[in-house]
């Protein structure tokens, strides 16, 4: 079968795809920032001696690690508004789903980094009269953060790919915009190939850039 | 706000959810089994010293790892039939894209295992007259398979979660049934929560097993 490629049709609507790309980047950045905050709090809860803090944090992490992201998207968009009595914009629901889900994964990154620092350092710093917060901020985190860069980058990379699911809530990110362009041009082959290449370029460039940062950081230590 | 939970809806919809669960498991087993075997073949091409095998294998792996799975599903359902000249059923398109996606990740796991064995073992096996295939089967694989097990279980868990995206192509798996039922009964809170729990029950044993396996292997080293 001979197929006539027609990328001109897609090129004609490239502005729509650019809007989508910006939507994807926005969603990813906001969710990464919020996810890191959620993750840090959950990690401290998981490391706490108090069971009342530890148990819910563990349940939170296990729940998110063992259920599919698409369920979270739909749950936040269709189910949560019923409980709290107000509805969300697709963007808000997507940010909630992505930042809580990635928060569970970031929590494991933080926890892994913190427990990788030997116990003796906590005890030593305590012996010098430092309190919990001072030890964490001045002794543990500066060392742990460097070790967390690689898993943190991996997680953010996964999160960025997951933003495509927001298309199912009609949030105007790259995949959703591609669907719109497709319904105008009837050129699925060109449209979906184009956005696959766009995703590839962005993700491939971002992951190589981060690998460079990672390499630099590992040499500083 | 006071919300009255309707548990009868859950009982009524359970048979359909179970039917969806069966399709989810079918999709999962099919994509995992073929993805593993295909992944092994790709990893052999990937570790080959011949450029015409090595190059395409790198391209294949990077392409699938640097684009969102959902975009791959959509591409295989809407764009690929144009090249193929025949329409694919939603199930076939989903199974195909999930298989290829899994194979790309499995190829990297196999490759990591294979290159972790010192070169000297290849040379030693060759010196006693073993062919490359024989060396792989009798010397290399027996040593690395156990070490790769946690990585493969993690892949299996990811795949189980990703099968839920097939719902967006209208494959009648668990998530699809859940969405259908929640709009039929107009009870998204109850039904989507139950869908999340069903996924959790399906996936949690796998990740529990994987965590235990990882601990045992770490203790042995």
């Amino acid at each position: 079968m001979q197929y006539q490629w027609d990328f001109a049709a897609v090129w004609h609507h490239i502005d729509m795809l650019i809007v989508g790309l910006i939507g994807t980047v926005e969603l990813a950045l906001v969710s990464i920032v919020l996810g890191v905050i959620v993750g840090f709090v959950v990690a401290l809860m998981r490391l706490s001696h108090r069971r009342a803090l530890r148990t819910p944090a563990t349940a939170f992490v296990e729940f998110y690690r063992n259920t599919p992201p698409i369920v979270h998207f739909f749950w936040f968009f269709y189910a949560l508004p019923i409980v709290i009595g107000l509805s969300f914009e697709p963007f808000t629901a997507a940010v909630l789903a992505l930042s809580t889900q990635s928060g569970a994964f970031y929590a494991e990154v933080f926890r892994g980094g913190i427990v990788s620092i030997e116990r003796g350092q906590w005890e030593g710093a305590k012996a010098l009269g430092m309190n919990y917060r001072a030890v964490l901020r001045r002794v543990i985190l500066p060392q742990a953060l460097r070790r967390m860069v690689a898993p943190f980058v991996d997680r953010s990379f996964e999160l960025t790919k997951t933003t495509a699911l927001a298309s199912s809530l009609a949030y105007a990110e790259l995949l959703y915009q591609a669907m719109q362009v497709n319904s105008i041009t009837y050129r699925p082959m060109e449209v979906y190939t184009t956005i696959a290449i766009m995703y590839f370029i962005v993700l491939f460039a971002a992951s190589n850039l981060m690998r460079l940062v990672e390499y630099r950081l590992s040499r500083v230590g | 706000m006071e919300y009255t939970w309707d548990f009868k809806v859950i009982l009524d919809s359970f048979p359909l959810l179970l039917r969806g669960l069966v399709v989810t498991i079918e999709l999962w087993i099919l994509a995992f089994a073929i993805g593993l075997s295909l992944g092994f073949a790709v990893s052999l091409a990937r570790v080959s010293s011949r450029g015409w095998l090595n190059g395409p294998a790198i391209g294949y792996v990077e392409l699938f790892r640097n684009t969102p799975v959902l975009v791959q599903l959509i591409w295989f359902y809407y764009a690929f039939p144009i090249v193929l000249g025949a329409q694919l059923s939603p199930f076939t398109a989903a199974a195909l894209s999930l298989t290829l996606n899994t194979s790309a990740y499995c190829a990297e796991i196999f490759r990591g295992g294979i290159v972790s064995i010192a070169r000297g073992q290849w040379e030693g096996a060759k010196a006693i007259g073993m062919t490359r295939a024989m060396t792989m089967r009798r010397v290399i694989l027996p040593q690395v398979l156990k070490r790769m097990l946690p990585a493969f279980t993690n892949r299996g868990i990811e795949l189980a979660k990703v099968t839920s995206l097939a719902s967006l192509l209208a494959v009648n798996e668990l998530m699809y049934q859940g969405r259908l039922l929640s709009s039929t009964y107009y009870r998204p809170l109850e039904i989507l929560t139950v869908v999340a729990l069903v996924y959790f029950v399906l996936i949690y044993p796998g990740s529990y097993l994987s965590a235990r396996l990882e601990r045992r292997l770490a203790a042995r080293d």
Side-chain angles (χ1 to χ4, degrees):
Chain A
M1 202 203 74
Q2 198 56 39
Y3 180 67
Q4 290 290 323
W5 290 80
D6 182 11
F7 276 103
V10 179
W11 184 249
H12 195 66
H13 296 282
I14 193 76
D15 51 332
M16 284 174 75
L17 296 182
I18 301 286
V19 168
L21 189 61
I22 294 169
T24 292
V25 173
E26 252 173 30
L27 181 59
L29 288 180
V30 173
S31 305
I32 288 172
V33 171
L34 291 178
V36 166
I37 297 169
V38 171
F40 186 61
V41 173
V42 173
L44 290 185
M45 283 170 71
R46 273 205 86 175
L47 290 167
S48 163
H49 296 295
R50 295 192 195 89
R51 180 165 293 179
L53 290 174
R54 214 168 56 216
T55 311
T58 308
F60 178 84
V61 170
E62 291 298 337
F63 175 78
Y64 274 105
R65 296 215 313 173
N66 291 291
T67 46
I70 188 80
V71 180
H72 313 146
F73 276 81
F74 278 95
W75 197 87
F76 276 107
F77 194 58
Y78 293 106
L80 186 64
I82 295 178
V83 191
I84 60 171
L86 55 99
S87 60
F88 296 127
E89 293 282 304
F91 180 77
T92 318
V95 165
L96 280 173
L98 280 171
S99 56
T100 48
Q101 194 238 357
S102 62
F105 284 96
Y106 286 133
E108 288 300 279
V109 174
F110 276 116
R111 192 176 72 104
I114 292 171
V115 298
S116 78
I117 307 295
E118 44 187 342
R119 282 207 64 77
Q121 298 208 19
W122 282 96
E123 287 153 12
K126 219 170 162 185
L128 289 173
M130 289 169 107
N131 61 19
Y132 175 80
R133 279 175 64 177
V135 183
L136 195 62
R137 213 180 63 229
R138 302 247 177 104
V139 183
I140 306 298
L141 283 183
Q143 301 177 69
L145 281 177
R146 200 172 292 150
R147 296 184 190 176
M148 292 178 326
V149 176
F152 170 80
V153 170
D154 284 349
R155 218 44 251 175
S156 309
F157 185 76
E158 287 303 315
L159 181 149
T160 309
K161 288 197 279 179
T162 313
T163 57
L165 305 197
S167 63
S168 61
L169 306 184
Y171 168 65
E173 48 70 69
L174 189 50
L175 178 57
Y176 181 78
Q177 290 294 90
M179 290 167 170
Q180 306 309 306
V181 174
N182 180 42
S183 64
I184 301 169
T185 60
Y186 291 107
R187 286 275 165 192
M189 185 73 195
E190 288 83 350
V191 174
Y192 293 126
T193 306
T194 304
I195 64 152
I197 294 169
M198 286 169 82
Y199 272 116
F200 184 88
I201 291 171
V202 169
L203 289 164
F204 193 72
S207 75
N208 279 300
L209 191 76
M210 290 317 286
R211 212 160 286 158
L212 198 76
V213 174
E214 219 177 289
Y215 177 72
R216 279 280 167 79
L217 277 174
S218 69
R219 283 172 53 113
V220 172
Chain B
M1 204 207 71
E2 202 51 49
Y3 180 73
T4 22
W5 286 71
D6 184 356
F7 289 105
K8 198 178 164 300
V9 161
I10 298 168
L11 282 179
D12 287 347
S13 51
F14 220 70
L16 264 180
L17 288 181
L18 282 186
R19 280 236 296 270
L21 182 62
V22 172
V23 179
T24 293
I25 293 173
E26 272 172 12
L27 198 56
W28 182 73
I29 292 178
L30 193 68
F32 203 33
I34 306 178
L36 272 173
S37 348
L38 188 60
F40 183 60
V42 174
S43 78
L44 291 183
R46 185 79 178 71
V47 296
S48 163
S49 47
R50 294 188 191 90
W52 60 270
L53 273 175
N54 192 9
I58 294 177
Y60 177 84
V61 169
E62 293 299 331
L63 199 66
F64 278 102
R65 297 208 314 169
N66 289 289
T67 47
V69 204
L70 182 53
V71 173
Q72 293 161 21
L73 274 145
I74 301 249
W75 193 89
F76 276 101
Y77 188 54
Y78 292 104
F80 188 57
I82 294 173
V83 199
L84 200 66
Q87 188 59 45
L88 296 177
S89 76
F91 185 86
T92 314
L96 182 63
S97 50
L98 292 180
T99 301
L100 298 181
N101 177 277
T102 304
S103 76
Y105 282 95
C106 287
E108 279 303 282
I109 300 173
F110 276 118
R111 187 183 72 99
I114 293 170
V115 299
S116 75
I117 300 295
R119 279 207 65 77
Q121 298 207 18
W122 284 99
E123 287 154 12
K126 203 174 172 186
I128 56 171
M130 287 173 114
T131 62
R132 273 184 74 87
M134 221 170 171
T135 312
M136 184 64 91
R137 213 177 61 230
R138 301 245 180 108
V139 182
I140 309 296
L141 285 184
Q143 299 180 69
V144 293
L145 276 183
K146 208 180 282 169
R147 225 182 290 167
M148 295 187 299
L149 222 49
F152 283 129
T153 5
N154 281 337
R155 230 338 80 198
I157 293 162
E158 279 309 308
L159 178 61
K161 292 197 267 178
V162 166
T163 56
S164 61
L165 299 187
S167 65
L168 300 173
L169 303 185
V171 175
N172 54 352
E173 47 69 79
L174 180 54
M175 184 63 197
Y176 180 77
Q177 300 286 18
R179 282 173 55 200
L180 206 66
L181 287 163
S182 72
S183 59
T184 313
Y185 289 107
Y186 210 68
R187 285 279 170 183
L189 181 59
E190 285 86 348
I191 290 168
L192 290 178
T193 307
V194 168
V195 167
L197 291 177
V198 173
Y199 272 113
F200 185 83
V201 170
L202 175 72
I203 296 169
Y204 185 72
S207 58
Y208 178 76
L209 197 77
S210 144
R212 269 194 55 166
L213 214 65
E214 230 162 298
R215 265 205 302 275
R216 259 188 44 193
L217 289 176
R220 194 176 303 162
D221 286 340

